Amino acid sequence: MSLLKSSLIGLKADSFRHTLDLESTKMLKQIPGLDMMVRNWLGPMAEQVFYVENIASSILVGEKQLPELHKLLLEACQILDIEPPQLYVRQHPAPNAYTFAMRGKQPFMVIHTSLIEILTPAEIQAVIGHELGHIKCEHTVYLTPVNLLVLAAAVVPNIGAVLAQAMQSQLLEWVRCAEFTCDRAALLVTQDPKIVMSVLMKLAGGSPSLAPQLNLESFIDQARAYDEISKTELGEMVKYARTAQLSHPVPVLRAREIDRWASSQEYQKLLQNHSINHQNETAPGSWRNW
């Protein structure tokens, strides 16, 4: 059955950017030399490494290669009003997806086969929308050092370790805030909060055999109950200690944020102000878990 979606013509990144992302980005820009380090050293090195790795060991999606995935990508780009990046599918046992882009260069995203295996087509498109959010918001300028500082510490200990120690905490805090923004991008693409929350549920405890048995309403209740932990000082301290060294917020917290934003006037006004309806025929209902 076809779904009616809205393309968000003229959509600006700041119109859906999470306030925590805005605040954290301002702080990150104050780190001396970070932008120069990314552009002059880490960026060119990473671009070559990842490009060669993807060409050699992944599948480039296109009109003739995994065309249904290609259609999901094109529709998501149309909705977010963004030029399509390259999309690669990579054989990997850890469910994950990531994006790389430098200003002026061709951006690309990678989705692991193990993630595709546990998702429906609509959920795969939510993942694509999330990764497009990183490109739309130019997060990739700072995602590069996050992804490579650990590598630098191993390759050049006398330089990399110092940089990693100085920046790790602040960079990880920024990444967690940026993830909230990109979950919103996923919602703008799917225009159904349950699809986004279902992806998060499967990331928390999904597998090809378990995915059909998971109950989304129970997970949403679990996400809402997460707030109860913050009602005591000890609970808040435990939550902070649990997430301080993570690159992503915990799935239930991300689901709670999407649950809140989907019911907000901000989200509804954003759809109304930018939307042009079109018929979605790119996600055939005949697909099952991959």
Side-chain angles (χ1 to χ4, degrees):
M1 184 174 67
S2 296
L3 300 174
L4 192 64
K5 290 188 181 180
S6 300
S7 291
L8 305 178
I9 304 302
L11 179 70
K12 302 298 183 184
D14 283 351
S15 64
F16 65 91
R17 200 186 298 264
H18 197 285
T19 52
L20 292 177
D21 183 8
L22 284 168
E23 295 168 3
S24 187
T25 300
K26 289 179 182 178
M27 294 180 63
L28 204 60
K29 288 180 178 180
Q30 297 175 6
I31 297 179
L34 177 59
D35 191 70
M36 184 177 65
M37 179 184 70
V38 174
R39 296 180 191 282
N40 296 336
W41 179 43
L42 292 178
M45 176 183 70
E47 181 185 15
Q48 289 300 312
V49 170
F50 283 130
Y51 180 75
V52 171
E53 182 68 16
N54 283 324
I55 287 294
S57 304
S58 305
I59 298 296
L60 177 60
V61 174
E63 291 182 4
K64 298 181 180 180
Q65 185 70 275
L66 301 174
E68 300 301 335
L69 273 181
H70 186 60
K71 290 178 183 178
L72 292 177
L73 171 67
L74 294 183
E75 185 192 48
C77 291
Q78 181 181 357
I79 292 172
L80 292 179
D81 198 12
I82 186 175
E83 289 296 317
Q86 291 182 334
L87 171 60
Y88 291 89
V89 172
R90 183 180 179 88
Q91 181 72 35
H92 201 285
N96 194 21
Y98 57 89
T99 298
F100 185 88
M102 295 298 295
R103 289 174 185 169
K105 302 293 184 179
Q106 171 71 45
F108 64 83
M109 67 175 66
V110 179
I111 303 179
H112 289 174
T113 52
S114 54
L115 181 57
I116 293 174
E117 289 288 347
I118 62 175
L119 301 181
T120 66
E123 291 165 352
I124 294 170
Q125 192 174 54
V127 171
I128 291 172
H130 177 99
E131 297 303 321
L132 289 174
H134 284 307
I135 299 173
K136 182 83 175 180
C137 296
E138 296 187 337
H139 286 156
T140 48
V141 172
Y142 299 115
L143 282 175
T144 299
V146 171
N147 291 331
L148 294 179
L149 272 176
V150 175
L151 205 65
V155 175
V156 192
N158 59 332
I159 298 177
V162 175
L163 290 173
Q165 283 186 342
M167 299 181 191
Q168 184 183 45
S169 178
Q170 197 164 351
L171 284 170
L172 288 176
E173 174 67 22
W174 171 80
V175 172
R176 291 193 295 270
C177 295
E179 290 299 310
F180 289 136
T181 292
C182 293
D183 286 344
R184 290 182 174 187
L187 176 57
L188 292 174
V189 166
T190 63
Q191 296 170 25
D192 184 343
K194 290 187 176 182
I195 293 175
V196 181
M197 288 189 282
S198 181
V199 173
L200 296 168
M201 175 180 66
K202 291 177 180 180
L203 286 173
S207 70
S209 61
L210 292 178
Q213 305 174 51
L214 295 174
N215 183 283
L216 180 58
E217 293 304 323
S218 294
F219 182 72
I220 293 173
D221 290 341
Q222 180 182 336
R224 291 169 179 165
Y226 189 75
D227 279 338
E228 296 296 319
I229 302 174
S230 298
K231 290 187 176 180
T232 67
E233 185 175 344
L234 177 60
E236 187 64 25
M237 289 173 59
V238 171
K239 284 172 60 176
Y240 177 80
R242 170 69 179 82
T243 60
Q245 297 303 312
L246 298 179
S247 62
H248 287 60
V250 292
V252 289
L253 178 56
R254 294 170 64 182
R256 187 205 67 182
E257 285 293 314
I258 281 300
D259 186 35
R260 284 178 173 175
W261 196 61
S263 60
S264 70
Q265 291 187 355
E266 178 187 359
Y267 170 67
Q268 298 300 330
K269 287 181 179 179
L270 190 58
L271 290 182
Q272 293 171 7
N273 292 341
H274 291 277
S275 63
I276 294 180
N277 291 333
H278 66 92
Q279 199 73 13
N280 170 22
E281 298 176 348
T282 63
S286 59
W287 280 18
R288 295 180 180 231
N289 290 343
W290 293 26

